[in-house]
Amino acid sequence: MTSTPAPHNRLDDRPDGRPDDRSDSHYTIGVRALCEFTAKRGDLDMRFTPSPSAREGMAGHQLVASRRGDDYQTEIALQCTQVLPQPDTLRDAERTLTVRGRADGYCPTDNRLEEIKTFRGELSRLPANHRALHWAQLHCYGALFCNNQGIEEITLALVYFDVVRQTETLISERWQRAALNDVFNQHCGIFARWAEQEMDHRLARDAALKALAFPHPSFRTGPRALAEAVYKNLHQGRCLMAQAPTGIGKTLGTLFPALKALATCQRDKLFFLTAKTPGRQLALDALTTLADASGPHRTPDTVLPLRTLELVAREKSCVYPELACHGDSCPLAKGFYDRLPAARTAAVAAGRLDQAGLATVAQAHEVCPYYLGQELARWSDVVVGDYNYYFDVGALLHGLTRQHDWQVSLLVDEAHNLLPRARGMYTATLDETQLARLTRHAPKVLRNHFSRLEQAWQTVNLMPRADTDPQGPYRLFPEPPPILMSALHNLVSAITDYRNDHPEDTGGALLDFYFDALHFCRIADAFDEHYLCDSSLCDSSPSDSSTLKADGMPGTEDLLDSLADNSGRTQLCLRNLVPAPFITPRLNDAAGTVLFSATLSPPDFHADLLGLPAGTRWLDVEAPFSAEQLRVSLVPQSTRFNQRAASIAPIASLIAQQFARQPGNYLAFFSSFDYLEGVADFLATHHPEVPLHRQSRSMPEAARQQFLARFTQDSTHVGFAVLGGAFAEGIDLPGARLIGSFIATLGLPQFNEINEQMRARVDALMPGKGYDYTYFYPGLQKVIQAAGRVIRTREDQGVIYLIDDRFSRPEVRALLPAWWQA
C-alpha cells in the first residue's frame, strides 16, 4: 500500500505517457452484438429452460470439431471496416464502422461454414426468434468469410449440438456471396445510423465534461485533496483507497473528477457502485447538481449530454409481479423486442434514467422497465447500481465490460461494506428442511433423486467427527462432502432435464431450490483454503410458510407440518472468508478504481481480504471539522454480554440526564435488539418524560423512512437503533435533526463457533491478523460509522458517548478519528 503523492493542481492535467487508444471517428462492434441490435424480434421470454454451462458449451464445440476432417478450421477471426456515409459536410474526419467476430468452423472439403450452438432438451422448443437470430449471425459470418477468402458461393450450416445425447442437428443453406453481402450491408446500414448517433454523443459528452465546472464557488481543502487524488489515479489506471470523513461531500468529490476523467481518459463508462439504496440516491442527486453546473457548454436551455442510468432490482421495478415473464402471460413481454428500438431511442434521448424516468419511458412504449434498463446499460455513460451488478457471480456490468472490452472507471461507495457483501456473494447454503419438504411435494419423476440426496445428507450428518472438530451442533468438513455433492449433481441434472421437458411448470419452490443448488455446485468448484465448509442446525422458524399451493408446492399447513419435526436437520454452508480471488480479477478488468468511505482504516485490512492490486494507493483526507464542534465522552461501563443486565439502568440514566440537560434529537446504538429493547423499556418505565422510538426487527422500507422523518429541526426525541443496521450509516441528519449519539458497544462481532473458525483460518492465511480481521477492525468501523451521523457540516455541534470501558485502550483510541478529543 502506497500513499498518494502530491496531486496535480488542475483536474485537466493529463499525465504523460497515456496515448488516446480510442477514436470518436471509429466504431467497432462484434457480429453477435450487431445482430442482437438489428435482428432480435418477438417476445421477451424468461421462462427458465436450462442451457448448457460454459464448460459444456466449450466441450460441445470441441467434440463437433473433432468429428470433422483433419483440414477443419476453427475459431476463424473475421473483420470488415466500412466507411460511413457523411451527411454532415462540416465534419472533417472520415468515420468508419468495423464489424468483427470469430466463425466457429469451416470445412474446406464441403466448403461449409458452421455456427455451432449447444443446447439441452428438445430442439423443437427453440423459439423461432432465437433461431432467426442464429441465422442472422451466420449470414454475417458468411459474408465476412467469403469476402476474406474470395469465395463466390458457400454452404452455411447451423449445427445444434445436444450436450446430453451428444448428437448433432445440421441445418444448411446455400448462398451466393453477393446475396450475403446484401444481407450484411442491410445489418450494417441499420446500425450505422445508431453508430453515427453514438459517436456524435461521445464528442458532445466529452466536450461538455472537459468544460464542466465544479458546482460550488470553491473547493474546501479536504474535498479538493480527494478530487485531485481520484482524478490522478483514474488517469494512471490505478486503484485508490480514500478514507474521508462523513459529511465532507465524498459523493460529489469523487463523481466530479471521475466525470472529468471520463472525457480526458477516453473511458467508455463510469460505474458508481453502492451498498444501499440511500447511496444510489446520493449519487443521482450529485449527478443532478453537476448537470446544473454552469460552464461554456451550458445554457439555461440545454442539459449536460450525459446518459445516467439507475439499475434497480427486478422485484422493485416489475409492473406485473403476479404475472410470469413471457409473452403468453405479461403484456409488456409480448412483442418486447419489436418495441425495444423505439423505446431505446427515446430513453437515450431522455438522458437521465433514474427509476422513475426509466419507468416513464417504458410505460410510454409498453415494454418491461427492468429489461429496458438491462439493455440501456450498454448505451449509458454513468451507471448507478448495487455492488452485485459488478462484483457478483455472473454480474451484468462485469459481463458486459468483458464482452465489449469497455474501458470503465469504478467508484465504490461506502467501500467498508464491500467485504461483508462480497463474502455473501460467494457463499452458498443448502437447507435440509427445504430439501425434505421438496422431497414430499416434488414431481414424481424427481422424487427418487430428491430421496437419494436426502439419504446422502443423513449419511453426512452421521459421519464421525474429527478430534479437532468443535463440539455441539456446529461442525466442520475439510471439503464439500463427496457423497452429498455426487447426489446433488445428479439431482441438478435431473431437474435440468425436467425443466427442459416441462418449461411450462413454473413452480416457485422447485425453481428456487434449483438456483440455490446450481450456485452451491458452482461455489463448490471454487472451494479452497479461503472457505469453510460447515453445518449447523436449521432454523425451525417457518420463514417461507407463505408458499402458495398455486405454485404446485405446499401451502401453509403443509409447511408447518414439515417443520414440526425439524429435529436434527442441518444447514450446509460453503462460507467464503476471503473473497480476494474473486474480487481481484474484477478490479483488474476496470481501467481505474476508487474505493472510498469514512472507515477504511487500517488500509491493509481491506487490501488483504479484498485482494486489491499491488501498488494500490492510500489517501486519508483531513477532516474539515474542529474538535470544538464535538464533545466525545468515554463512559467506563462494561457492555460485555455477561454484564449487560447490570448496564441497562446506568445507560438509561445517562440518556435521560443528557436529554434533560440538552433536549434535542439523539440516536442510541446497541449491539442487538435484545439489548436495545432492555434499555428502551427501562427508559420508558423510569424516565417517561423522554420521548423515544425504536428500530424494529425486519423493518420495512416505509417504516424506516417514517423513523427518519421524525428527526426534524424542531423535534426532540431519542431513536433506538442497532449498530451496523439501517440507521448506523448512509443517513444524513444535519443541524438540529441530530445533536448526539450514544454507542453502547464496542461493536465486536459475536463470539461464536463460526467467527472463531474464521479467526483461526485468517490467522493461518495471514499470520497474526486473525483476531483483528475477524473482530477488532469490523467492530470499530461500525462504531465510527454510527458516530459519523452527528457532525455533517462545519456548523453542526454535537455530543457522542462511547459506552464501554475498552474505548479507553490505546489500540482502540488509535483507530478513532484524529480530530476527536475523547
Side-chain angles (χ1 to χ4, degrees):
M1 188 71 60
T2 57
S3 297
T4 299
H8 292 287
N9 291 327
R10 295 179 61 249
L11 292 183
D12 288 326
D13 287 346
R14 184 184 183 89
D16 294 334
R18 179 177 173 81
D20 288 332
D21 54 4
R22 291 175 184 262
S23 170
D24 294 313
S25 61
H26 184 74
Y27 200 105
T28 300
I29 189 171
V31 168
R32 176 182 170 183
L34 172 70
C35 294
E36 286 180 345
F37 187 94
T38 60
K40 211 167 187 178
R41 294 291 181 267
D43 296 351
L44 177 71
D45 192 343
M46 301 308 295
R47 280 175 287 202
F48 182 76
T49 51
S51 57
S53 66
R55 185 181 301 174
E56 290 173 326
M58 292 175 60
H61 278 69
Q62 292 169 358
L63 182 55
V64 170
S66 70
R67 293 173 175 177
R68 304 296 188 258
D70 293 338
D71 58 349
Y72 189 72
Q73 303 170 23
T74 61
E75 294 291 312
I76 306 154
L78 300 169
Q79 180 171 305
C80 170
T81 298
Q82 296 186 346
V83 177
L84 296 176
Q86 198 166 0
D88 185 356
T89 56
L90 299 178
R91 194 174 69 216
D92 294 329
E94 180 181 78
R95 284 182 168 176
T96 58
L97 172 67
T98 294
V99 180
R100 63 187 181 191
R102 289 182 180 273
D104 288 333
Y106 175 67
C107 180
T109 304
D110 300 325
N111 187 26
R112 186 176 68 237
L113 190 70
E114 297 183 336
E115 176 72 6
I116 303 168
K117 301 293 183 183
T118 56
F119 74 99
R120 286 176 173 273
E122 296 300 324
L123 185 59
S124 60
R125 293 199 179 98
L126 181 71
N129 60 346
H130 286 207
R131 184 166 294 176
L133 184 60
H134 298 163
W135 275 119
Q137 293 176 27
L138 185 51
H139 293 155
C140 289
Y141 285 131
L144 293 171
F145 186 81
C146 287
N147 292 331
N148 182 270
Q149 299 293 321
I151 297 174
E152 294 302 323
E153 189 177 26
I154 195 170
T155 297
L156 303 181
L158 283 176
V159 181
Y160 288 103
F161 180 78
D162 187 326
V163 297
V164 176
R165 301 181 181 91
Q166 303 280 287
T167 57
E168 300 175 33
T169 300
L170 189 146
I171 307 170
S172 64
E173 296 177 345
R174 193 71 179 170
W175 279 82
Q176 298 294 319
R177 175 181 178 181
L180 286 172
N181 279 329
D182 288 343
V183 173
F184 177 69
N185 290 332
Q186 183 179 10
H187 287 292
C188 291
I190 295 171
F191 187 76
R193 294 187 288 273
W194 185 268
E196 286 273 7
Q197 171 189 289
E198 290 303 288
M199 286 186 277
D200 288 341
H201 167 73
R202 181 72 170 254
L203 282 170
R205 183 202 78 176
D206 288 353
L209 290 178
K210 287 176 182 178
L212 182 66
F214 191 67
H216 301 308
S218 63
F219 262 129
R220 299 199 303 270
T221 301
R224 170 172 282 279
L226 175 63
E228 290 175 346
V230 168
Y231 185 79
K232 181 175 182 179
N233 279 271
L234 288 179
H235 260 296
Q236 294 176 339
R238 305 285 291 269
C239 182
L240 170 70
M241 291 179 68
Q243 179 171 270
T246 57
I248 73 163
K250 292 190 293 294
T251 304
L252 196 60
T254 52
L255 269 172
F256 175 66
L259 288 175
K260 301 287 284 186
L262 197 65
T264 56
C265 291
Q266 290 292 295
R267 297 281 161 80
D268 299 307
K269 312 281 181 186
L270 170 62
F271 298 154
F272 190 100
L273 306 172
T274 71
K276 300 178 182 179
T277 302
R280 290 206 313 268
Q281 191 56 53
L282 286 172
L284 293 169
D285 291 344
L287 287 165
T288 299
T289 299
L290 287 165
D292 291 337
S294 60
H297 289 264
R298 289 276 298 161
T299 70
D301 299 322
T302 63
V303 296
L304 182 70
L306 187 73
R307 299 174 187 164
T308 301
L309 173 68
E310 179 187 15
L311 288 176
V312 179
R314 180 173 171 176
E315 59 269 18
K316 292 185 178 180
S317 56
C318 183
V319 179
Y320 299 110
E322 73 281 4
L323 300 180
C325 194
H326 57 80
D328 295 334
S329 177
C330 179
L332 301 183
K334 185 72 173 177
F336 173 87
Y337 291 108
D338 299 327
R339 297 188 295 275
L340 177 60
R344 180 170 51 212
T345 299
V348 298
R352 179 183 170 88
L353 294 168
D354 58 7
Q355 184 176 1
L358 189 65
T360 299
V361 174
Q363 182 180 24
H365 293 272
E366 300 181 277
V367 296
C368 171
Y370 176 74
Y371 287 103
L372 176 60
Q374 303 271 296
E375 167 66 19
L376 291 170
R378 294 163 169 80
W379 313 111
S380 297
D381 303 306
V382 181
V383 181
V384 179
D386 189 88
Y387 293 162
N388 67 302
Y389 284 105
Y390 191 84
F391 291 110
D392 206 348
V393 179
L396 171 72
L397 295 179
H398 180 247
L400 289 173
T401 298
R402 289 182 59 84
Q403 179 184 341
H404 298 288
D405 195 26
W406 286 339
Q407 294 288 302
V408 303
S409 297
L410 299 182
L411 295 181
V412 184
D413 182 31
E414 299 293 356
H416 63 279
N417 286 308
L418 182 56
L419 175 58
R421 284 289 306 278
R423 282 172 168 163
M425 293 172 196
Y426 299 107
T427 289
T429 303
L430 287 180
D431 191 299
E432 191 181 4
T433 300
Q434 182 189 18
L435 174 64
R437 187 184 314 138
L438 284 166
T439 302
R440 293 173 52 199
H441 298 277
K444 184 179 295 186
V445 69
L446 296 175
R447 287 182 190 170
N448 284 340
H449 294 281
F450 272 103
S451 295
R452 292 188 189 104
L453 177 58
E454 197 171 19
Q455 291 166 10
W457 203 315
Q458 291 167 4
T459 300
V460 169
N461 288 340
L462 295 173
M463 283 180 175
R465 292 174 180 267
D467 294 338
T468 56
D469 267 7
Q471 298 303 306
Y474 178 80
R475 66 178 302 183
L476 286 175
F477 299 95
E479 62 179 349
I483 186 174
L484 187 143
M485 292 308 303
S486 176
L488 183 62
H489 279 295
N490 289 336
L491 175 57
V492 166
S493 180
I495 299 177
T496 299
D497 294 339
Y498 175 81
R499 294 294 305 168
N500 278 310
D501 294 337
H502 302 83
E504 72 288 346
D505 186 347
T506 57
L510 177 62
L511 196 57
D512 287 345
F513 175 83
Y514 180 60
F515 287 142
D516 289 344
L518 283 174
H519 181 62
F520 197 93
C521 292
R522 189 180 298 118
I523 294 300
D525 287 341
F527 187 87
D528 60 11
E529 68 275 12
H530 300 100
Y531 276 87
L532 294 177
C533 178
D534 59 36
S535 72
S536 54
L537 291 179
C538 291
D539 182 359
S540 60
S541 59
S543 59
D544 53 356
S545 59
S546 59
T547 307
L548 302 177
K549 287 180 179 294
D551 286 339
M553 298 308 294
T556 302
E557 296 173 359
D558 296 307
L559 291 181
L560 293 177
D561 287 343
S562 69
L563 291 176
D565 184 15
N566 196 31
S567 175
R569 297 198 188 278
T570 60
Q571 185 180 77
L572 189 65
C573 183
L574 305 181
R575 194 179 308 278
N576 180 262
L577 307 180
V578 181
F582 300 100
I583 300 299
T584 301
R586 284 161 170 75
L587 295 177
N588 289 338
D589 286 334
T593 301
V594 178
L595 302 98
F596 59 99
S597 168
T599 50
L600 289 178
S601 184
D604 286 349
F605 170 53
H606 296 278
D608 289 344
L609 296 179
L610 291 174
L612 301 190
T616 293
R617 294 185 173 181
W618 166 253
L619 175 70
D620 194 355
V621 178
E622 182 181 353
F625 312 125
S626 66
E628 290 73 25
Q629 290 180 254
L630 183 67
R631 177 166 56 87
V632 181
S633 297
L634 306 184
V635 181
Q637 172 69 58
S638 175
T639 63
R640 294 171 180 84
F641 182 77
N642 59 359
Q643 296 172 309
R644 282 180 189 168
S647 73
I648 288 176
I651 292 173
S653 297
L654 176 66
I655 293 173
Q657 291 167 13
Q658 173 61 31
F659 190 85
R661 185 164 51 245
Q662 187 180 4
N665 295 310
Y666 296 85
L667 277 170
F669 294 100
F670 299 87
S671 56
S672 69
F673 280 103
D674 288 341
Y675 199 9
L676 178 157
E677 289 162 359
V679 178
D681 288 344
F682 190 95
L683 185 67
T685 301
H686 295 84
H687 302 280
E689 72 280 4
V690 180
L692 61 88
H693 300 283
R694 315 180 194 199
Q695 178 184 358
S696 61
R697 290 176 168 87
S698 303
M699 203 172 193
E701 179 72 25
R704 292 200 296 267
Q705 294 301 323
Q706 205 172 38
F707 183 93
L708 289 175
R710 292 191 176 99
F711 291 81
T712 69
Q713 295 292 338
D714 302 316
S715 62
T716 58
H717 79 292
V718 180
F720 279 68
V722 171
L723 191 71
F727 306 114
E729 62 176 270
I731 62 170
D732 195 18
L733 300 171
R737 293 186 67 190
L738 184 67
I739 65 169
S741 288
F742 306 87
I743 302 176
T745 173
L746 197 62
L748 302 185
Q750 185 181 21
F751 185 87
N752 57 30
E753 294 96 334
I754 294 174
N755 284 332
E756 277 298 281
Q757 292 298 327
M758 181 187 299
R759 179 194 58 75
R761 180 61 59 85
V762 173
D763 242 342
L765 294 170
M766 305 166 192
K769 297 181 177 181
Y771 175 79
D772 287 346
Y773 282 15
T774 303
Y775 294 103
F776 186 44
Y777 297 150
L780 262 293
Q781 284 185 354
K782 289 187 287 186
V783 169
I784 297 169
Q785 278 290 331
R789 303 310 98 201
V790 178
I791 301 299
R792 310 296 293 177
T793 72
R794 288 185 172 185
E795 291 72 39
D796 287 350
Q797 297 284 329
V799 298
I800 294 174
Y801 288 91
L802 300 178
I803 308 170
D804 193 287
D805 56 299
R806 290 166 290 182
F807 278 115
S808 62
R809 294 179 179 176
E811 66 271 21
V812 175
R813 297 188 65 165
L815 291 176
L816 300 179
W819 66 277
W820 289 8
Q821 289 187 3

